[in-house]
Amino acid sequence: MKTKVWLVVAALLVFTACEQTPKPAPKSVETDAQPATDPAPQESPTSAPASNCAPLDELAAMDNRKPVPLQPMMAWHQKQNMMEHLVAIQKITDRLAKDDWEAVAKASAMIESSPQMQQMCQHMGAGAEGFTELALEFHKRADKIGEAAKAKDKKAALAATSHTIEACTSCHATYRQEVVDAATWQARTGSDHDPSQMHHGH
Ligand code: HEC
């Protein structure tokens, strides 16, 4: 039963994903300017919009990672978080090379666990099973970098950094973004929360 519902949702997505492309008026409302017997002018307007979706469909067919449904603003927010994560890792390794332990801890704090992180991860992963768990595990691994920095233990700090990056790569190997509209997001997550509210105060 549940599977059936998902199939319907998936089928709807396939259709709605391409609806942003302006479509020519249905033939039934066309005037007699074009005789219905002439096949050439009827075919060109319908095939042109479809080709705009083809590259995205092609990509989706190749990328068999699990989709994480996100509304556009959430997807952008996630990408910004990700770029910050990479900056954090870069800073951690740079400060480690300099034995600047305070700065290692400061950089690590950018990706360590916090109530806000937890809330964000739960929100982002609402429509993708297992995503939030992986995300929280990632932040937990990063906590160990800060702990090692406080102990000025370079070996432990490097091991914790590697362990953390492994959480990045395993999530990337498993999940991809799927940008959807608000109604689809609510249907897929069973949530009526407005994600735009998440961005106030950032
Ligand atoms: C729990 C899952 C998860 C974890 C953990 C995670 N990421 Fe990501 N990351 C994603 C997803 C999903 C995307 C979007 C992929 C896509 O475009 O479909 C992404 C995209 C990115 C991008 C591309 C951003 C862009 O501009 O398109 C970067 C860079 C990135 N992640 C860095 C990192 C780094 C560095 C870490 C660890 C320190 C990390 N991520 C941890 C899920 C994760």
Side-chain angles (χ1 to χ4, degrees):
M1 193 62 202
K2 212 178 172 194
T3 321
K4 258 189 184 167
V5 171
W6 277 106
L7 281 174
V8 170
V9 170
L12 280 172
L13 279 173
V14 168
F15 291 117
T16 53
C18 289
E19 269 180 13
Q20 284 141 340
T21 314
K23 280 189 180 138
K27 285 180 191 73
S28 54
V29 296
E30 267 176 20
T31 60
D32 56 1
Q34 284 174 4
T37 45
D38 184 5
Q42 282 184 10
E43 253 164 43
S44 48
T46 45
S47 57
S51 69
N52 292 335
C53 295
L56 282 178
D57 292 343
E58 205 178 316
L59 175 64
M62 265 185 276
D63 191 343
N64 59 7
R65 294 175 295 171
K66 292 182 202 164
V68 182
L70 300 165
Q71 295 186 47
M73 197 197 275
M74 297 172 73
W76 171 230
H77 200 193
Q78 184 178 65
K79 287 196 167 182
Q80 286 176 302
N81 286 341
M82 290 299 156
M83 287 188 272
E84 282 170 22
H85 290 356
L86 188 51
V87 169
I89 292 292
Q90 186 272 322
K91 284 187 172 164
I92 288 165
T93 53
D94 178 72
R95 283 23 163 202
L96 266 174
K98 292 169 181 157
D99 288 326
D100 186 345
W101 295 111
E102 223 170 275
V104 172
K106 202 177 154 202
S108 172
M110 290 171 70
I111 50 172
E112 286 174 13
S113 309
S114 70
Q116 296 97 302
M117 270 309 183
Q118 185 167 342
Q119 200 198 1
M120 181 61 62
C121 295
Q122 269 158 2
H123 187 61
M124 291 292 181
E129 213 183 307
F131 182 90
T132 302
E133 287 75 7
L134 265 186
L136 296 178
E137 165 68 14
F138 153 66
H139 295 300
K140 259 194 207 156
R141 290 183 182 196
D143 294 343
K144 301 285 175 206
I145 304 172
E147 286 170 26
K150 266 155 220 149
K152 301 189 179 174
D153 184 340
K154 196 165 201 165
K155 227 175 165 183
L158 276 169
T161 303
S162 167
H163 198 223
T164 301
I165 297 174
E166 193 191 31
C168 315
T169 55
S170 66
C171 187
H172 294 155
T174 313
Y175 294 98
R176 65 173 168 87
Q177 286 190 346
E178 182 185 353
V179 182
V180 298
D181 62 21
T184 307
W185 187 80
Q186 281 164 18
R188 297 270 291 272
T189 60
S191 166
D192 53 5
H193 173 71
D194 178 0
S196 64
Q197 298 306 310
M198 291 293 291
H199 302 271
H200 296 169
H202 277 271

